């Protein structure tokens, strides 16, 4: 059990963090076919927002709950800016958006490196996250439990928003069939912008959670973007449940491999697993059925 | 798309060869000649990227992997050659009694090393490409998977200090297949080999582009399903281009080692792989000379601006991606055609966009 329970506990928290990072990515990718490589940097922006909020609000007990919505809005606005300034001109060339956003991510990383100290900034953990739960005799840090709760709340909120609001319906309609949605009178331009705002905002929330678990520095976003995309690829696009299962799978898998072997070998193994998985299910776990050939 | 006539571009390659092989060695100082050699290594990899991405539509974001296969094969051989019969110095540092790792042993042989530089990337790219293309993984999925591979390999190399030198990499090579590397004449020879290989790669893609295969590759890029309906298997077409690109990256990596004298994970990771793409995008991905010239330009910027003004260089590369992809998707090489079209007046439309439909996803 020693080799199983700790990596499982740790891995589910890692999976929850990955899920938060991948949610927004899968939303924007699923709807627009746009791969936003700057998504990781939006996560970084969220983490730095948490730090800045702490400079204003002294008590770390209070600052993290405040930072969550603030980071959502700040990262979301950055995403909106990116959509309006660059991405909206490139919808016909989705593969090229990948490279353009690589450029954006380089610039954001370098800017963060120059604005903030290069070794990163400390984000203080709130007092109520000290301590741990005891699960089957093993310690489970409350920070990890918090990440899981946060991810659950975000997923539930996003699912409810997609399912029950009119905006959510418009987003789902656009994912299913953009042309038909447009014919039906949905302004896909507005929908795209809103999706980008929400997707990037979720990255900001993920950034706050990441700042509580790891370091906050200019390269933190780059660590998350590749695993987050692997989650999106394995989960399939356009549906939340695929992303959830894939995130937990990749998180637990990475954590178990890292526990049994080494961290670097775990990355290689996880990569091989995703490739093998794509052999079995090239569309990912779940996908929206369309009649398009491509 | 305005294409140069085949014989004209062959003449271009000739001019390029004279410049690289005859003019440059007589004009440039040793320092700049070795720098140019380094850019040529990146240019060789870039020609491959042009083949896979520009003509084949496969955005290969992890060419650092194949670059690494060639580079580390060569570096292991040169390290062993320097160490003589013993164990390389950096290994002794960690454990004086450690035996040579088993996978190093065959690299004592010159023939095996040269074979490995060619065979390793072909096998690796063949397996990966077969697995991905046959299952119709394409577009962004393919791009990110290749980049994930580069990240994974760089991490793996970083963490295996005893076997690969870790973050410090492999360096301090004294001999290159028996030639003393300190000797300027030998360094010029290494440069000439590299430049010659670059010219050879250009000739290969020149022939490929005007062959039936080249047509099929472009057709696959622009309308993969239509190619399938015509009875071809696009997976095979893409596989050949991908393997060719991997082979060129490996050759570039192999020559990088004697020229620069060091190989580290930083040269093969995600950032390095993206820098290789930058040159190709800048020069013009689908053109014959664009990738090579773009890579040389970016390499020059990297070693001049990148060392004197590193912050600014990162911004420039970032902006380069944004501006070039947004406004000039076919790169600098499309400028002459644009000017010609502009001079003809607004009545005539520009040539049809080359990258008409980059097919996304695998939602087949």
């Amino acid at each position: 059990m020693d080799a199983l329970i700790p990596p499982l506990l740790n891995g589910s928290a890692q999976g929850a963090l990955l899920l938060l990072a991948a949610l927004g990515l899968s939303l924007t990718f699923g709807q627009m076919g746009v791969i936003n490589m700057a998504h990781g940097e939006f996560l970084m922006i969220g983490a730095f927002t948490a730090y800045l909020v702490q400079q204003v609000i002294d008590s770390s007990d209070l600052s993290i709950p405040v930072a969550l919505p603030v980071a959502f809005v700040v990262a979301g606005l950055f995403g909106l800016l990116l959509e309006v300034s660059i991405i909206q001109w490139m919808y016909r060339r989705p593969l090229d958006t990948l490279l353009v956003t690589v450029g954006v991510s380089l610039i954001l990383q370098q800017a963060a490196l120059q604005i903030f100290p290069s070794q990163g900034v400390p984000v203080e953990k709130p007092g109520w996250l000290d301590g741990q739960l005891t699960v089957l005799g093993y310690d489970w840090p409350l920070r990890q439990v918090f990440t899981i709760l946060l991810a659950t709340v975000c997923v539930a909120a996003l699912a409810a928003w997609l399912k029950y609001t009119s905006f959510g319906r418009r987003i789902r309609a656009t994912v299913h069939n953009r042309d038909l949605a447009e014919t039906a009178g949905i302004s896909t331009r507005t929908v795209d912008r809103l999706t980008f705002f929400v997707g990037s905002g979720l990255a900001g929330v993920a950034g706050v959670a990441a700042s509580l678990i790891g370091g906050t520095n200019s390269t933190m976003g780059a660590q998350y973007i590749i695993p987050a995309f692997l989650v999106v690829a394995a989960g399939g696009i356009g549906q939340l449940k695929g992303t959830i299962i894939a995130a937990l799978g990749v998180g637990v898998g990475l954590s178990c491999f890292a526990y049994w072997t080494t961290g670097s070998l775990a990355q290689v193994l996880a990569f091989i697993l995703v490739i093998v998985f794509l052999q079995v299910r090239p569309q990912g776990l779940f996908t929206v059925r369309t009649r398009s050939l491509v | 798309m305005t294409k140069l006539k085949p014989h004209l571009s062959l003449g271009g390659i000739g001019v390029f060869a004279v410049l690289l092989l005859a003019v440059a060695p007589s004009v440039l100082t040793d320092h700049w000649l070795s720098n140019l050699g380094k850019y040529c290594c990146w240019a060789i990899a870039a020609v491959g990227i042009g083949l896979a991405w520009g003509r084949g539509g496969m955005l290969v974001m992890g060419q650092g992997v194949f670059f690494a296969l060639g580079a580390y094969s060569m570096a292991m051989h040169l390290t062993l050659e320097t160490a003589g019969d013993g164990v390389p110095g950096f290994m002794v540092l960690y454990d004086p009694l450690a035996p040579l790792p088993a996978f190093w042993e065959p690299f004592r042989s010159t023939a095996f090393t040269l074979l490995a530089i060619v065979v390793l990337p072909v096998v690796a790219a063949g397996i990966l490409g077969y697995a991905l293309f046959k299952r119709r993984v394409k577009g962004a999925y393919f791009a990110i998977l290749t980049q994930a591979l580069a990240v994974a390999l760089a991490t793996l190399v970083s963490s295996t200090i005893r076997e690969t030198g870790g973050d410090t990499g492999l360096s301090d090579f004294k001999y290159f297949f028996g030639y003393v590397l300190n000797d300027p004449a030998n360094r010029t020879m290494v440069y000439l080999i590299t430049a010659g290989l670059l010219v050879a790669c250009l000739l290969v893609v020149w022939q490929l582009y005007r062959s039936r295969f080249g047509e099929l590759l472009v057709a696959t890029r622009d309308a993969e399903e239509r190619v399938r309906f015509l009875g071809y298997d696009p997976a095979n077409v893409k596989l050949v281009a991908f393997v060719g690109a991997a082979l060129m990256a490996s050759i570039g990596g192999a020559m990088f080692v004697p020229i620069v004298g060091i190989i580290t994970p930083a040269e093969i990771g995600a950032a390095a792989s993206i820098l290789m793409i930058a040159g190709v995008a800048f020069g013009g991905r689908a053109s014959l000379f664009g990738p090579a010239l773009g890579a040389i330009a970016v390499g020059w910027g990297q070693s001049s601006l990148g060392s004197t003004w590193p912050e600014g260089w990162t911004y420039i590369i970032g902006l380069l991606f944004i501006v070039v992809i947004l406004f000039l998707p076919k790169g600098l090489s499309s400028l002459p055609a644009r000017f010609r079209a502009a001079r003809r007046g607004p009545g005539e439309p520009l040539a049809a966009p080359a990258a008409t439909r980059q097919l996304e996803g695998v939602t087949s």
Side-chain angles (χ1 to χ4, degrees), chain A residues 262-265 267-268, chain B residues 64-69 71-73 75-76 90 94 103-104 149-170 263-269:
Chain A
T262 61
S264 53
L265 207 57
Q267 282 195 15
V268 181
Chain B
V65 172
F66 306 113
F67 197 79
L69 287 179
Y72 273 90
S73 297
M76 285 198 283
F90 77 90
Y94 291 106
F103 73 95
W104 275 67
L149 187 60
V151 173
L153 185 70
T155 325
L156 189 65
V157 172
S158 295
S159 67
T160 47
I161 301 173
R162 281 154 178 274
E163 291 83 11
T164 62
D167 279 326
T168 37
L170 298 174
I263 181 77
T264 65
E267 303 285 356
I268 65 171

Side-chain angles (χ1 to χ4, degrees), chain A residues 25-56:
Chain A
L25 203 60
S26 113
L27 201 61
T28 48
F29 183 54
Q31 175 173 341
M32 303 181 251
V34 163
I35 283 296
N36 179 13
M37 292 296 276
H39 195 77
E41 275 57 48
F42 292 155
L43 187 145
M44 170 196 82
I45 287 170
F48 278 116
T49 308
Y51 168 74
L52 290 178
V53 168
Q54 284 197 337
Q55 303 311 301
V56 182

Side-chain angles (χ1 to χ4, degrees), chain A residues 93 114 229 264 271 279 282 294, chain B residues 131 135 159 315 325 329 362-363:
Chain A
R93 300 186 280 148
Q114 286 186 283
F229 188 86
S264 53
F271 171 79
Q279 291 301 300
V294 288
Chain B
R135 296 303 292 180
S159 67
Y315 287 125
I325 303 280
V362 282
T363 48

Side-chain angles (χ1 to χ4, degrees), chain A residues 14 52 65-66 74 87 92 94 113 125 133 140 149 152 154 168 181 192 199 201 221 233 236 259 265 270 294:
Chain A
Q14 210 174 338
L52 290 178
V66 174
V74 171
I87 290 182
R92 283 165 191 283
L113 191 63
K125 282 85 188 159
L133 281 180
W140 204 8
L149 282 180
T152 316
C154 284
D192 286 346
Y259 196 82
L265 207 57
V294 288

Side-chain angles (χ1 to χ4, degrees), chain A residues 100-245:
Chain A
V100 167
T101 49
V102 163
V104 174
S105 91
L106 287 175
I107 290 174
L108 286 177
Q109 267 185 43
Q110 186 62 37
L113 191 63
Q114 286 186 283
I115 296 171
F116 297 100
S118 59
Q119 74 274 17
V121 293
V123 173
E124 235 171 276
K125 282 85 188 159
W128 43 269
L129 281 186
D130 287 337
Q132 47 249 331
L133 281 180
T134 308
V135 180
L136 299 172
Y138 294 94
D139 286 341
W140 204 8
L142 275 180
R143 278 181 293 166
Q144 298 192 352
V145 181
F146 173 72
T147 314
I148 295 174
L149 282 180
L150 185 65
T152 316
V153 170
C154 284
V155 170
L158 184 65
W161 184 67
L162 283 176
K163 187 145 195 217
Y164 297 115
T165 65
S166 71
F167 254 127
R169 272 195 297 277
R170 280 178 221 172
I171 287 182
R172 282 184 295 140
T174 314
V175 171
H176 271 271
N177 192 329
R178 174 172 291 264
D179 294 338
L180 193 58
E182 215 156 286
T183 320
I186 293 171
S187 162
T188 51
R189 291 295 313 121
T190 318
V191 171
D192 286 346
R193 280 189 191 145
L194 191 76
T195 314
F196 226 85
F197 176 79
V198 173
S200 311
L202 284 171
V205 174
V208 179
S211 76
L212 296 176
I213 286 186
T216 302
N217 53 49
S218 62
T219 55
M220 66 183 294
Q223 299 165 14
Y224 285 99
I225 183 74
I226 300 281
F229 188 86
L230 291 185
V231 165
V232 174
I237 53 171
Q239 291 203 10
L240 287 178
K241 58 182 173 186
T243 314
I244 298 168
I245 297 173

